[in-house]
Amino acid sequence: MDVRSISTFGAVAAEDEPVLNYFVETSAVSEIGEGEKFLVLGRKGSGKTALVRYFNEKKQNGLVSIALNLRGYPWALHAKRSDSDVDESERYEASWRYLIVVEFAQLVAKRLTGLSKWTDEAKNLIEFFSQNYGGLDVGLGDFLRPEKLRLTKASFEPQLLGVKLGGITLERKSEQGGLARELNLLSDLILKNALYLCGREGIEKILIHFDELDQGMLRFDSPRQQMLTGLILATRSVNREAAKNSVKLKSVIYLRTDLWNQINFSDKNKITTTSVLDISWDEASLLKVVNSRVNSITGKNWDAIHDATTMRGRQQKFSYIVARTFLRPRDVISYLNILLSKAKERINTKGGATVFTNKDIVDSKREYSTYLRLELHDEISPHWREWEDALKAISKMGLLSFARISFEQRYPQAVTAGNVYTSEQALETLYEYSVLGAYRASGYGGKKWVYRYSEPGEAWDSSGNLFKVHLGLKEHLALKE
């Protein structure tokens, strides 16, 4: 085998085919499509978008699936559509519920055929869209853009306390409440009409996927947390209402685990228990993805493209690579692409084995380490912009593992203007994102290094005294063992 015949191991994005194929072989697809799961959690690069791609590309009879990409979504505009009359966690539930319902209604209205177009339900929907949006081609970011929704006898006229609403003002001052009540009445009428038409047209199921909710987010502040909470509550509400009908309407949210961990509201534990699908990987499942990719390119598997020697400590090559990742397909693919480049360079200039060698893998570590730091920056900076101050302190210490007291001495010297994190907060945040592992009891009388990415149930312990930097960052920070 000559690895120079491989052009690339593919894009690092989680949308690639081998990741998608892996999910099809698991219960993930059925749990989303048929089960109770509507909140898909996973770390960045874990494969959430691959699931969205599956539903949008694999055509099934009676299924309509649409992905709502929130890249460029007008969050600032949506922030003005809150209701001060309700609890903070519910301030955006009505606006998201309305958005989901009108997206669903638009999908149905576009697919009407034959006599369905002439029913009162169809006429009501079409007139509503015509009056407020100029037709049936409304982008996701435009549903909440009007300052006021017009309501007429020809479209919908919900009644509030026996009085017909001639319109609903969306943009209200903070002291003006009541938006949720009015908007929910309108959403109920639209949903009822759309569900009737959906059944009439023989559409058995509609899936609406909310993906890339973190795109363009500089800070995950309280208003954004409230908006995501509202989306989650609205999704649960609409899914429950639709489940009472023969038509299956389901919204599915794909969210980074760290964002979910930052959100707090009363029903969070209940949703976690019943409605969350957590995407997790181990070495065996990652090897399946790699073998699928290698087989599609060469007709062989991973074992055919490296020599038989083990790494230092008799560790297998793939295990050595995986130990430097966060158990994500994106990390493994990134490492393999760097490895491929290093091996080709070595073969073309010096000759030798035409498969991956130990030296190729070692020579790839520095470039991969820089990649991993950049990935972490995308995840951590919305929560803590000055997080790299802590990296500088660790780099100055120069050791892969260190005692708390050493960090507490170095960290204040690295703190830049605007950084309000104490050394304790810094250590906790680095642990939460698996930059650091903690040395703690293993449960069998011994101790081991614990990382959050591989053992998510192991919460932060403020009494911990020994920490170890993730192996993937060793070269970037120039650390010694």
Side-chain angles (χ1 to χ4, degrees), residues 386-459:
E386 302 84 7
W387 76 281
E388 291 193 62
D389 289 353
L391 290 189
K392 292 174 185 175
I394 293 170
S395 183
K396 287 289 185 181
M397 288 189 288
L399 297 174
L400 197 64
S401 55
F402 57 87
R404 174 190 287 267
I405 190 170
S406 298
F407 181 80
E408 290 174 341
Q409 291 170 349
R410 285 283 187 179
Y411 177 66
Q413 302 169 26
V415 170
T416 56
N419 185 358
V420 297
Y421 272 50
T422 64
S423 59
E424 173 71 19
Q425 290 173 311
L427 287 171
E428 181 178 359
T429 302
L430 295 182
Y431 174 77
E432 288 296 322
Y433 287 90
S434 297
V435 175
L436 298 179
Y439 197 57
R440 60 179 60 168
S442 64
Y444 298 97
K447 289 194 172 184
K448 65 175 183 178
W449 292 109
V450 173
Y451 289 89
R452 196 74 191 269
Y453 76 92
S454 57
E455 299 182 63
E458 294 284 349

Side-chain angles (χ1 to χ4, degrees), residues 41-85:
L41 299 180
R43 195 163 181 175
K44 181 185 177 187
S46 61
K48 298 183 294 297
T49 302
L51 285 168
V52 178
R53 181 182 164 194
Y54 168 81
F55 287 106
N56 283 355
E57 293 185 4
K58 306 295 182 182
K59 303 300 181 183
Q60 301 175 37
N61 292 333
L63 170 65
V64 176
S65 180
I66 181 170
L68 301 179
N69 189 313
L70 276 84
R71 188 184 297 270
Y73 184 73
W75 294 99
L77 173 69
H78 196 149
K80 299 177 181 179
R81 306 316 189 222
S82 66
D83 191 338
S84 58
D85 269 4

Side-chain angles (χ1 to χ4, degrees), residues 191-211:
L191 181 61
K192 180 180 178 181
N193 279 254
L195 286 170
Y196 169 79
L197 293 168
C198 203
R200 187 181 173 102
E201 284 294 310
I203 301 173
E204 299 174 5
K205 185 191 302 180
I206 288 184
L207 294 178
I208 300 176
H209 308 271
F210 287 89
D211 191 22

Side-chain angles (χ1 to χ4, degrees), residues 322-339:
V322 169
R324 284 151 179 78
T325 73
F326 288 125
L327 293 178
R328 303 182 298 190
R330 176 175 298 186
D331 299 338
V332 175
I333 294 166
S334 294
Y335 202 118
L336 293 180
N337 278 335
I338 295 169
L339 173 60

Side-chain angles (χ1 to χ4, degrees), residues 361-397:
I361 291 175
V362 171
D363 288 345
S364 303
K365 290 195 297 184
R366 182 172 297 279
E367 186 175 337
Y368 170 79
S369 190
T370 299
Y371 148 82
L372 198 63
R373 197 274 299 172
L374 292 172
E375 286 287 299
L376 283 165
H377 182 78
D378 289 345
E379 288 187 83
I380 303 176
S381 57
H383 309 281
W384 179 23
R385 281 185 292 189
E386 302 84 7
W387 76 281
E388 291 193 62
D389 289 353
L391 290 189
K392 292 174 185 175
I394 293 170
S395 183
K396 287 289 185 181
M397 288 189 288

